[in-house]
Amino acid sequence: MAENSVTLTDNRNGKSYNFPILDGNLGPSVVDISTFYKDTGMFTFDRGYTSTAMCRSQITYIDGEKGELLHRGYDIAWLAENKIFLDVVYLLLNKRLPNSDELKEFKTELKTRCFINENILKLFDAFPDRAHPMAVLQACVATLSTYYSRDMNFDDPVEYMELAKRLVAKMPTLAAFYYRHSRGYPQIYPDLDRGFTENFLYMMRSFPHSRFELRPIEVKAFDTVLMLHCDHEQNASTTTVRTVGSTHSHPYSCISAGIGALWGHAHGGANESVIRQLEMIGSVDNVDKYIAKAKDKNDPFRLMGFGHRVYKNYDPRAKVLKKMRNQLIDEIGIDSNLIKIANKIEEIVLNDDYFVSRNLYPNVDFNSGLILKALKIPTEMFAVIFVMGRCPGWISQWMELKEQDTIKIVRPRQLYVGPKDITPKN
Ligand code: CMC
């Protein structure tokens, strides 16, 4: 029997089965159960995939116990301190950081691809007033696949790198255009003299024929928010992108599905929910009441921005953002009532036995919402910002899937608990 293996015994009949253990470069070993059904005639059951590795990957590593996050081997706190969002996008897509000439060229390439076919904008008229921007973005990205589908060879790495750059470049334009449309504001086209991050804030906040100036700290804060959302291993939306990708669907259709998965408040919708919750709590005097609700087993209320499936320690992204939030408070000021409420909640959570015993720490969304609010981004656009940040991660994960020798369609099984065959037998 191989030493590097796990033996499982079926106590009903004493039969033993052997499964190999695989070791990655970091993180827990993995038991390879791909032959489990063939060998045992049984399935495994893992609701929410809490113990399942769904793929091999070289992109992102998370140590949830330590609170560590690496992108292609670089620590997120180091990247946030020393690099900009587009460095990390390049890193994810090209597997290494760019030098200064490569970064310059990459920025230019994205600029040339940031405009949208004007016909896509006609879609906006088909949506009801105040349609949620996530629904619109999901539909627009799916629609983009109709513009880039004919004659494309999705197995050619040169072509899919093109698709990747196009989508990263167009996402902010789509998002800002829909926001302005939904408010009835005049459209602001991308300004090619501005950088990627600054350009989005410019498209969101400026008006024709008026001076528009941003403080460097605003650009830095927004860039950091985007960078911190870049990739996060096999989370729900990335798994969705890989699942749709495993059927050989169009890459933009995979990303559109990822947007749908991200929208939920347990995932990317949480930053919006954090602010709405802080506003609902309204005053520091009400915090204790809501903490009690969060702890009450019979109350579905949860503190938004706390807890994580993987991190059982302080989310390293939340640490970076807390520092950035404090810098913003010093330089431009943030709604101080919300900050007071947030600080009180954080202080209680970090010391209260309910939260401590369940390893519930602030996650990335706890501070990103406060930062985005300070940057005058409307709350309904928060999850869209998450999409802009996560899009390069999704594409890199999709590209990694394509680079594999054989793609296996994702097709889990189930524990069937419905009626047995009750069809009338004639
Ligand atoms: N407030 C109060 N109790 C909580 C919270 C919370 N935010 N999160 C988890 N718990 C409790 C939960 O009730 C359970 O208690 P018990 O063991 O007594 O039943 C225990 O902690 C474990 O919770 P779980 O739901 O089994 O944990 P999970 O890993 O399935 O869920 C989570 C992770 C992020 C969905 C959850 O913590 C949550 O709903 N948090 C609030 C929403 C949020 O902030 N989401 C953003 C996640 S970070 C962004 C991203 O990467 O997508």
Side-chain angles (χ1 to χ4, degrees):
M1 197 168 300
E3 196 180 294
N4 215 14
S5 66
V6 158
T7 302
L8 202 95
T9 304
D10 183 340
N11 293 323
R12 294 171 305 180
N13 53 27
K15 273 193 189 166
S16 285
Y17 305 92
N18 214 38
F19 299 98
I21 296 177
L22 309 178
D23 288 313
N25 291 340
L26 287 171
S29 301
V30 167
V31 182
D32 180 356
I33 54 159
S34 45
T35 61
F36 193 87
Y37 175 58
K38 202 171 94 203
D39 294 349
T40 69
M42 292 185 277
F43 300 139
T44 57
F45 186 64
D46 182 15
R47 214 163 62 94
Y49 302 148
T50 55
S51 303
T52 297
M54 77 94 70
C55 61
R56 288 173 196 264
S57 183
Q58 303 178 354
I59 302 174
T60 292
Y61 172 72
I62 302 174
D63 184 329
E65 312 301 320
K66 268 197 344 211
E68 182 183 46
L69 169 62
L70 308 177
H71 292 314
R72 301 219 185 260
Y74 292 97
D75 185 79
I76 190 66
W78 182 85
L79 288 169
E81 197 67 42
N82 297 287
K83 298 289 166 189
I84 61 168
F85 173 61
L86 291 187
D87 280 305
V88 181
V89 175
Y90 188 101
L91 171 69
L92 293 176
L93 297 178
N94 295 283
K95 306 179 185 172
R96 61 174 179 81
L97 282 167
N99 61 33
S100 56
D101 285 345
E102 287 166 334
L103 181 62
K104 205 168 149 202
E105 192 187 323
F106 188 55
K107 286 178 178 173
T108 309
E109 284 184 307
L110 293 185
K111 275 183 188 171
T112 58
R113 291 169 176 84
C114 70
F115 290 94
I116 310 275
N117 186 312
E118 298 275 319
N119 287 327
I120 290 200
L121 306 181
K122 292 181 195 154
L123 270 181
F124 294 165
D125 292 327
F127 300 121
D129 289 348
R130 312 295 288 189
H132 197 286
M134 283 295 270
V136 175
L137 196 60
Q138 187 176 10
C140 288
V141 171
T143 307
L144 269 182
S145 66
T146 65
Y147 286 76
Y148 303 101
S149 58
R150 276 199 219 139
D151 310 324
M152 293 221 81
N153 177 5
F154 299 133
D155 295 323
D156 175 356
V158 177
E159 291 221 16
Y160 57 67
M161 186 61 93
E162 272 304 302
L163 282 164
K165 285 187 275 200
R166 220 178 258 135
L167 195 56
V168 172
K170 290 184 194 315
M171 202 66 99
T173 317
L174 269 178
F177 270 33
Y178 176 65
Y179 163 69
R180 299 196 71 100
H181 170 92
S182 71
R183 298 280 167 118
Y185 297 162
Q187 289 297 359
I188 300 287
Y189 281 76
D191 175 353
L192 298 186
D193 288 333
R194 294 176 194 268
F196 183 92
T197 304
E198 185 191 342
N199 215 348
F200 178 72
L201 294 174
Y202 163 73
M203 287 189 282
M204 287 291 290
R205 285 172 37 182
S206 72
F207 280 88
H209 312 299
S210 63
R211 272 172 71 87
F212 177 74
E213 280 174 22
L214 279 168
R215 298 192 211 191
I217 184 73
E218 294 182 90
V219 179
K220 173 73 185 150
F222 190 61
D223 197 79
T224 307
V225 169
L226 291 180
M227 185 197 291
L228 292 177
H229 287 90
C230 247
D231 191 54
H232 214 226
E233 207 231 53
Q234 307 313 318
N235 54 81
S237 54
T238 302
T239 300
T240 303
V241 170
R242 279 187 179 262
T243 302
V244 181
S246 80
T247 71
H248 303 274
S249 181
H250 189 291
Y252 290 175
S253 159
C254 302
I255 303 299
S256 169
I259 296 174
L262 191 84
W263 188 4
H265 70 250
H267 193 8
N271 52 14
E272 179 175 340
S273 307
V274 168
I275 293 296
R276 296 206 190 284
Q277 194 171 82
L278 292 174
E279 285 169 348
M280 179 189 74
I281 293 171
S283 150
V284 276
D285 299 336
N286 296 329
V287 167
D288 288 337
K289 186 173 93 192
Y290 285 97
I291 293 281
K293 274 168 78 62
K295 289 161 61 173
D296 182 354
K297 278 223 156 287
N298 301 314
D299 192 327
F301 179 84
R302 281 194 171 195
L303 280 182
M304 289 293 132
F306 290 89
H308 199 274
R309 168 60 61 79
V310 180
Y311 293 119
K312 300 305 164 200
N313 202 325
Y314 215 106
D315 180 338
R317 304 167 299 172
K319 268 191 200 161
V320 174
L321 283 186
K322 186 167 181 189
K323 209 164 131 197
M324 183 50 73
R325 184 192 93 181
N326 290 341
Q327 259 175 278
L328 267 180
I329 294 176
D330 290 346
E331 293 201 32
I332 63 170
I334 305 186
D335 184 336
S336 63
N337 187 41
L338 292 193
I339 291 287
K340 275 188 209 148
I341 300 169
N343 282 342
K344 181 158 182 200
I345 294 175
E346 182 173 358
E347 192 190 318
I348 294 175
V349 167
L350 293 178
N351 294 292
D352 184 298
D353 188 52
Y354 172 91
F355 300 98
V356 173
S357 64
R358 288 168 178 76
N359 298 313
L360 299 172
Y361 289 86
N363 59 44
V364 66
D365 294 312
F366 184 59
N367 281 311
S368 66
L370 289 163
I371 292 177
L372 293 176
K373 201 167 162 59
L375 296 176
K376 303 188 181 74
I377 304 286
T379 312
E380 77 269 17
M381 291 294 288
F382 287 5
V384 169
I385 309 298
F386 198 149
V387 171
M388 281 167 47
R390 183 56 54 87
C391 174
W394 286 333
I395 300 173
S396 325
Q397 300 270 352
W398 178 84
M399 281 168 38
E400 190 174 69
L401 177 80
K402 297 296 287 179
E403 284 164 8
Q404 288 167 4
D405 295 341
T406 48
I407 298 179
K408 197 139 180 79
I409 187 169
V410 176
R411 185 23 175 123
R413 301 304 301 268
Q414 62 179 7
L415 177 65
Y416 178 70
V417 293
K420 292 183 178 165
D421 187 353
I422 50 173
T423 319
K425 307 271 184 295
N426 296 326

